[in-house]
Amino acid sequence: MVRTLETILAIASLVVATEMVFGAEAEFVQENCASCHALTEPDFEALGIEARAERKAPPLYYAGDKYRRDWLVEWLQAPERIRPAGVYPPAHISSSPDGDEIDEASLPTHVVLDQSQAERVADYLSSLRPYQERIDSVTYEPGSISWRMGQMNFVKFNNCIGCHQDEPGYGGVSGPELHTAWDRLRPEFIFSYTKDPVSWDPHTMMPGGDLNDGAVEKLANYLKAVSEEAE
Amino acid sequence: MKTMVVLGMLAALCTPLSYAETRGEQLYETYCSQCHGLNGAGGGINVPDMAVQPRDHTDTAEMSARTDEELAKAIREGGKAVNKSVLMPAWDSNLSDRQIDDLVVYLRHLCCEQ
């Protein structure tokens, strides 16, 4: 009981401290981002899976656990689409006798920030770390993997290619592109999300939960190799 | 009498989805349509670069040869568990037993009740 109270007080003081430091930034993000991005954790169970169809953009309430701050600064100034079919692909698909196609005209564009705004927003988003403990518990150390073995894991053994692209223009289009993932995401997040996507997002469209640590490390190392190859 | 039969057939064609089918339809759109297509015919947006074509769920003959248990197992444990393509992932982490049952009900609607 005492420990629970201590935890609640610690979280409350952290929230207050964050708001004191980032008051203006928090207000800016609330005003400009909240219409598309979730800024607080939704009640997934109460909402039901129907809510997934309403999602317009990735949730940002754990942005600090997920994104690299430097990537955020750059991307917010020159946003480029990461998910070829949007955040909820079925909303951007048109059916034809030859199969489904992405309706490009239906995909939204992202607001562009100037450098000062981008840096301040990135700093604020980087402070949103409700799952810091989960990230801190990840023991993954980035390493290397041969291109051939990495691709075998990505394509043949785990079928990541079914939904994700590991090079521009090749692979599935329903998931976010992964040839830019290493530059975009914290390595610990890549490991943790790949290992158990549902624990991060109960409404994720990514299957998972059956890979051992070694298999996840190989996939994370492949994303690192893909990023280094692109440089 | 003929009119009654025609009306009866039309009514059957226009029968709204059951509650379970509606829930299954929503789940199908969210989790399955990217590969199997919005209409279930196997032409999802991920297909062009796929090594194996996803199952056409509107194929009455093929789908009728599968039991509900087999379909549920394929969804829950992935294609490998039913000697099919490993490209079909296991959805047991994402879906509850009831959701998988709803999907099977919707698959039956797709293949055999339209």
Coordinates of all heavy atoms in Angstrom, one line a residue, chain A residues 3-56:
Chain A
R3 N 4.0 1.4 -0.8 CA 4.8 1.4 -2.0 C 3.9 1.9 -3.2 O 4.4 2.7 -4.0 CB 5.3 0.0 -2.3 CG 6.1 -0.1 -3.5 CD 6.8 -1.4 -3.6 NE 8.1 -1.3 -3.1 CZ 9.0 -2.3 -3.2 NH1 8.7 -3.4 -3.8 NH2 10.2 -2.2 -2.7
T4 N 2.6 1.5 -3.2 CA 1.7 2.0 -4.3 C 1.6 3.5 -4.2 O 1.7 4.2 -5.2 CB 0.3 1.3 -4.1 OG1 0.5 0.0 -4.0 CG2 -0.5 1.6 -5.3
L5 N 1.4 4.0 -3.0 CA 1.3 5.5 -2.8 C 2.5 6.2 -3.2 O 2.5 7.2 -3.9 CB 1.0 5.8 -1.3 CG -0.5 5.8 -0.9 CD1 -0.7 5.9 0.6 CD2 -1.2 6.9 -1.6
E6 N 3.7 5.6 -2.8 CA 4.9 6.2 -3.2 C 5.1 6.3 -4.7 O 5.5 7.3 -5.3 CB 6.1 5.4 -2.6 CG 6.4 5.7 -1.2 CD 7.4 4.8 -0.6 OE1 7.9 3.9 -1.3 OE2 7.8 5.0 0.6
T7 N 4.7 5.2 -5.4 CA 4.8 5.1 -6.9 C 3.9 6.2 -7.5 O 4.3 6.9 -8.4 CB 4.3 3.7 -7.4 OG1 5.1 2.8 -6.7 CG2 4.6 3.6 -8.9
I8 N 2.6 6.3 -7.0 CA 1.7 7.3 -7.5 C 2.2 8.7 -7.3 O 2.2 9.5 -8.3 CB 0.3 7.1 -6.8 CG1 -0.4 5.8 -7.2 CG2 -0.6 8.3 -7.2 CD1 -1.6 5.5 -6.5
L9 N 2.8 8.9 -6.1 CA 3.3 10.3 -5.9 C 4.5 10.6 -6.8 O 4.7 11.7 -7.3 CB 3.7 10.4 -4.4 CG 2.6 10.5 -3.4 CD1 3.1 10.4 -2.0 CD2 1.9 11.9 -3.6
A10 N 5.3 9.5 -7.0 CA 6.5 9.7 -7.9 C 6.1 10.1 -9.3 O 6.6 11.0 -9.9 CB 7.4 8.4 -7.9
I11 N 5.1 9.3 -9.8 CA 4.6 9.6 -11.2 C 4.0 11.0 -11.2 O 4.2 11.7 -12.2 CB 3.6 8.5 -11.6 CG1 4.3 7.2 -11.8 CG2 2.9 8.9 -12.9 CD1 3.4 6.0 -12.0
A12 N 3.2 11.3 -10.2 CA 2.5 12.6 -10.2 C 3.5 13.7 -10.2 O 3.4 14.7 -10.9 CB 1.6 12.7 -9.0
S13 N 4.6 13.6 -9.4 CA 5.6 14.6 -9.3 C 6.3 14.7 -10.7 O 6.7 15.8 -11.1 CB 6.5 14.4 -8.2 OG 7.2 13.2 -8.3
L14 N 6.5 13.6 -11.3 CA 7.2 13.6 -12.6 C 6.4 14.3 -13.7 O 6.9 15.1 -14.4 CB 7.4 12.1 -13.1 CG 8.4 11.9 -14.2 CD1 9.8 12.3 -13.7 CD2 8.4 10.5 -14.6
V15 N 5.0 14.1 -13.6 CA 4.1 14.7 -14.6 C 4.2 16.2 -14.3 O 4.3 17.0 -15.3 CB 2.7 14.2 -14.4 CG1 1.7 15.0 -15.2 CG2 2.6 12.7 -14.9
V16 N 4.1 16.6 -13.1 CA 4.1 18.1 -12.7 C 5.4 18.7 -13.2 O 5.5 19.7 -13.8 CB 3.9 18.3 -11.2 CG1 4.2 19.7 -10.8 CG2 2.5 17.9 -10.8
A17 N 6.5 18.0 -12.9 CA 7.9 18.5 -13.3 C 7.9 18.7 -14.8 O 8.4 19.7 -15.3 CB 8.9 17.5 -12.8
T18 N 7.4 17.6 -15.5 CA 7.5 17.7 -17.0 C 6.7 18.9 -17.5 O 7.1 19.6 -18.4 CB 6.9 16.4 -17.6 OG1 7.7 15.3 -17.1 CG2 7.0 16.4 -19.1
E19 N 5.5 19.1 -16.9 CA 4.7 20.2 -17.3 C 5.3 21.6 -17.0 O 5.1 22.5 -17.8 CB 3.3 20.1 -16.7 CG 2.4 19.0 -17.4 CD 1.0 18.9 -16.8 OE1 0.7 19.7 -15.9 OE2 0.3 18.1 -17.3
M20 N 6.0 21.6 -15.9 CA 6.7 22.9 -15.6 C 7.8 23.2 -16.6 O 8.0 24.3 -17.0 CB 7.3 22.8 -14.1 CG 6.2 23.0 -13.1 SD 6.9 22.6 -11.4 CE 8.0 23.9 -11.2
V21 N 8.6 22.1 -17.0 CA 9.7 22.3 -17.9 C 9.2 22.6 -19.3 O 9.7 23.4 -20.0 CB 10.6 21.1 -17.8 CG1 11.7 21.3 -18.9 CG2 11.2 20.9 -16.5
F22 N 8.2 21.8 -19.7 CA 7.7 21.9 -21.1 C 6.3 22.4 -21.2 O 5.6 22.0 -22.2 CB 7.7 20.4 -21.7 CG 9.1 19.9 -21.8 CD1 9.6 18.8 -21.0 CD2 10.0 20.4 -22.8 CE1 10.8 18.3 -21.2 CE2 11.3 19.8 -23.0 CZ 11.7 18.8 -22.2
G23 N 5.9 23.4 -20.4 CA 4.6 23.9 -20.4 C 4.1 24.4 -21.8 O 3.1 23.9 -22.3
A24 N 4.9 25.2 -22.4 CA 4.6 25.8 -23.7 C 4.6 24.7 -24.8 O 3.7 24.7 -25.7 CB 5.6 26.9 -24.1
E25 N 5.6 23.8 -24.7 CA 5.7 22.8 -25.7 C 4.5 21.8 -25.6 O 3.9 21.3 -26.6 CB 7.0 22.0 -25.6 CG 8.2 22.8 -26.0 CD 8.7 23.8 -24.9 OE1 8.1 23.8 -23.8 OE2 9.6 24.5 -25.2
A26 N 4.1 21.5 -24.4 CA 3.0 20.6 -24.1 C 1.7 21.2 -24.7 O 0.9 20.5 -25.3 CB 2.8 20.3 -22.6
E27 N 1.6 22.5 -24.5 CA 0.4 23.2 -25.0 C 0.4 23.1 -26.6 O -0.6 22.9 -27.2 CB 0.4 24.6 -24.5 CG -1.0 25.3 -24.6 CD -0.9 26.6 -23.9 OE1 -0.3 26.8 -22.8 OE2 -1.5 27.5 -24.5
F28 N 1.6 23.4 -27.1 CA 1.7 23.4 -28.6 C 1.3 22.0 -29.2 O 0.6 21.9 -30.2 CB 3.2 23.7 -29.0 CG 3.4 23.7 -30.5 CD1 3.3 24.9 -31.2 CD2 3.8 22.6 -31.1 CE1 3.5 24.9 -32.6 CE2 4.0 22.6 -32.5 CZ 3.9 23.7 -33.2
V29 N 1.9 21.0 -28.6 CA 1.6 19.6 -29.0 C 0.1 19.3 -28.9 O -0.5 18.7 -29.7 CB 2.5 18.6 -28.3 CG1 2.0 17.2 -28.5 CG2 3.9 18.8 -28.7
Q30 N -0.4 19.7 -27.7 CA -1.9 19.4 -27.5 C -2.7 20.1 -28.6 O -3.6 19.5 -29.1 CB -2.3 20.0 -26.1 CG -3.6 19.6 -25.6 CD -3.8 18.1 -25.4 OE1 -2.9 17.4 -24.9 NE2 -4.9 17.5 -25.9
E31 N -2.4 21.3 -28.9 CA -3.2 22.1 -29.9 C -3.0 21.6 -31.3 O -3.9 21.6 -32.1 CB -2.8 23.6 -29.8 CG -3.5 24.3 -28.6 CD -3.0 25.8 -28.5 OE1 -2.4 26.3 -29.5 OE2 -3.3 26.4 -27.5
N32 N -1.8 21.2 -31.6 CA -1.5 20.9 -33.0 C -1.4 19.4 -33.4 O -1.5 19.1 -34.6 CB -0.1 21.5 -33.4 CG -0.2 23.0 -33.4 OD1 -0.7 23.7 -34.3 ND2 0.2 23.6 -32.3
C33 N -1.3 18.6 -32.4 CA -1.1 17.1 -32.7 C -2.2 16.2 -32.2 O -2.4 15.1 -32.7 CB 0.2 16.6 -32.1 SG 1.6 17.8 -32.3
A34 N -3.0 16.7 -31.2 CA -3.9 15.8 -30.5 C -5.1 15.4 -31.4 O -5.7 14.3 -31.2 CB -4.5 16.5 -29.3
S35 N -5.4 16.1 -32.5 CA -6.5 15.7 -33.3 C -6.2 14.4 -34.1 O -7.1 13.7 -34.5 CB -6.9 16.8 -34.3 OG -5.8 17.1 -35.1
C36 N -4.9 14.1 -34.3 CA -4.6 12.8 -35.0 C -3.8 11.8 -34.1 O -4.0 10.6 -34.2 CB -3.7 13.1 -36.2 SG -4.5 14.1 -37.5
H37 N -2.9 12.4 -33.2 CA -2.1 11.5 -32.4 C -2.7 11.3 -31.0 O -3.1 12.3 -30.4 CB -0.7 12.1 -32.2 CG 0.1 12.2 -33.5 ND1 0.8 11.1 -34.0 CD2 0.3 13.2 -34.3 CE1 1.4 11.5 -35.1 NE2 1.1 12.8 -35.4
A38 N -2.6 10.1 -30.4 CA -3.0 9.9 -29.0 C -1.9 10.4 -28.1 O -0.8 10.0 -28.3 CB -3.3 8.4 -28.8
L39 N -2.3 11.3 -27.2 CA -1.3 11.9 -26.3 C -1.4 11.3 -24.9 O -0.5 11.6 -24.1 CB -1.4 13.4 -26.3 CG -1.2 14.1 -27.6 CD1 -1.4 15.6 -27.5 CD2 0.2 13.8 -28.2
T40 N -2.4 10.5 -24.7 CA -2.6 9.8 -23.4 C -3.0 8.4 -23.8 O -3.5 8.1 -24.9 CB -3.6 10.4 -22.5 OG1 -4.9 10.5 -23.3 CG2 -3.3 11.8 -22.0
E41 N -2.7 7.4 -22.9 CA -3.0 6.0 -23.2 C -4.5 5.8 -23.3 O -5.2 6.1 -22.3 CB -2.3 5.1 -22.2 CG -2.5 3.7 -22.5 CD -1.7 2.7 -21.7 OE1 -1.1 3.2 -20.7 OE2 -1.7 1.5 -22.0
P42 N -5.0 5.3 -24.4 CA -6.4 5.0 -24.5 C -6.8 3.8 -23.7 O -5.9 3.0 -23.3 CB -6.6 4.7 -26.0 CG -5.3 5.0 -26.7 CD -4.2 4.9 -25.7
D43 N -8.0 3.7 -23.3 CA -8.5 2.5 -22.7 C -8.9 1.5 -23.8 O -10.0 1.4 -24.2 CB -9.8 2.8 -21.8 CG -10.3 1.6 -21.0 OD1 -9.9 0.5 -21.3 OD2 -11.1 1.9 -20.1
F44 N -7.9 0.7 -24.2 CA -8.0 -0.2 -25.3 C -9.2 -1.1 -25.2 O -9.9 -1.4 -26.1 CB -6.7 -0.9 -25.6 CG -5.6 -0.1 -26.0 CD1 -4.6 0.3 -25.2 CD2 -5.5 0.3 -27.4 CE1 -3.5 1.1 -25.6 CE2 -4.5 1.1 -27.8 CZ -3.5 1.5 -27.0
E45 N -9.3 -1.7 -24.0 CA -10.3 -2.7 -23.8 C -11.7 -2.1 -23.9 O -12.6 -2.7 -24.6 CB -10.2 -3.3 -22.4 CG -10.7 -4.7 -22.3 CD -10.4 -5.4 -21.0 OE1 -9.4 -5.1 -20.4 OE2 -11.2 -6.2 -20.6
A46 N -11.9 -0.9 -23.3 CA -13.2 -0.3 -23.4 C -13.6 0.1 -24.8 O -14.7 0.0 -25.3 CB -13.3 0.9 -22.4
L47 N -12.5 0.6 -25.5 CA -12.8 1.1 -26.9 C -13.1 0.0 -27.9 O -13.9 0.1 -28.8 CB -11.6 1.9 -27.4 CG -11.3 3.2 -26.8 CD1 -9.9 3.8 -27.1 CD2 -12.4 4.2 -27.2
G48 N -12.4 -1.2 -27.7 CA -12.6 -2.3 -28.6 C -11.8 -2.1 -29.9 O -11.3 -1.0 -30.2
I49 N -11.7 -3.1 -30.7 CA -10.9 -3.1 -31.9 C -11.4 -2.1 -32.9 O -10.7 -1.6 -33.8 CB -10.7 -4.5 -32.5 CG1 -9.6 -4.5 -33.6 CG2 -12.0 -5.0 -33.1 CD1 -8.3 -4.2 -33.0
E50 N -12.7 -1.8 -32.8 CA -13.3 -0.8 -33.8 C -12.5 0.5 -33.7 O -12.4 1.2 -34.7 CB -14.8 -0.5 -33.4 CG -15.7 -1.6 -33.5 CD -15.7 -2.5 -32.2 OE1 -14.9 -2.2 -31.3 OE2 -16.4 -3.5 -32.2
A51 N -11.9 0.8 -32.6 CA -11.2 2.1 -32.4 C -9.9 2.1 -33.3 O -9.4 3.2 -33.7 CB -10.8 2.3 -31.0
R52 N -9.4 0.9 -33.7 CA -8.2 0.9 -34.5 C -8.5 1.5 -35.9 O -7.6 2.1 -36.5 CB -7.8 -0.6 -34.6 CG -6.4 -0.8 -35.4 CD -5.3 -0.1 -34.6 NE -4.0 -0.1 -35.4 CZ -3.7 0.7 -36.3 NH1 -4.5 1.6 -36.7 NH2 -2.5 0.6 -36.9
A53 N -9.7 1.3 -36.3 CA -10.1 1.9 -37.7 C -10.2 3.4 -37.6 O -10.1 4.0 -38.7 CB -11.4 1.3 -38.1
E54 N -10.3 4.0 -36.5 CA -10.4 5.4 -36.3 C -9.0 6.1 -36.2 O -8.9 7.3 -36.2 CB -11.2 5.8 -35.1 CG -12.6 5.2 -35.1 CD -13.4 5.6 -36.3 OE1 -13.4 6.7 -36.7 OE2 -14.1 4.7 -36.9
R55 N -8.0 5.3 -35.9 CA -6.6 5.8 -35.7 C -6.1 6.5 -36.9 O -6.1 6.0 -38.0 CB -5.7 4.7 -35.2 CG -4.4 5.3 -34.6 CD -3.5 4.2 -34.2 NE -3.9 3.4 -33.1 CZ -3.2 2.4 -32.5 NH1 -2.0 2.1 -33.0 NH2 -3.7 1.7 -31.5
K56 N -5.7 7.8 -36.7 CA -5.2 8.6 -37.9 C -3.7 8.7 -37.9 O -3.1 9.1 -38.9 CB -5.8 10.0 -37.8 CG -7.3 10.0 -37.9 CD -7.8 11.4 -37.8 CE -9.3 11.5 -37.8 NZ -9.8 12.8 -37.3

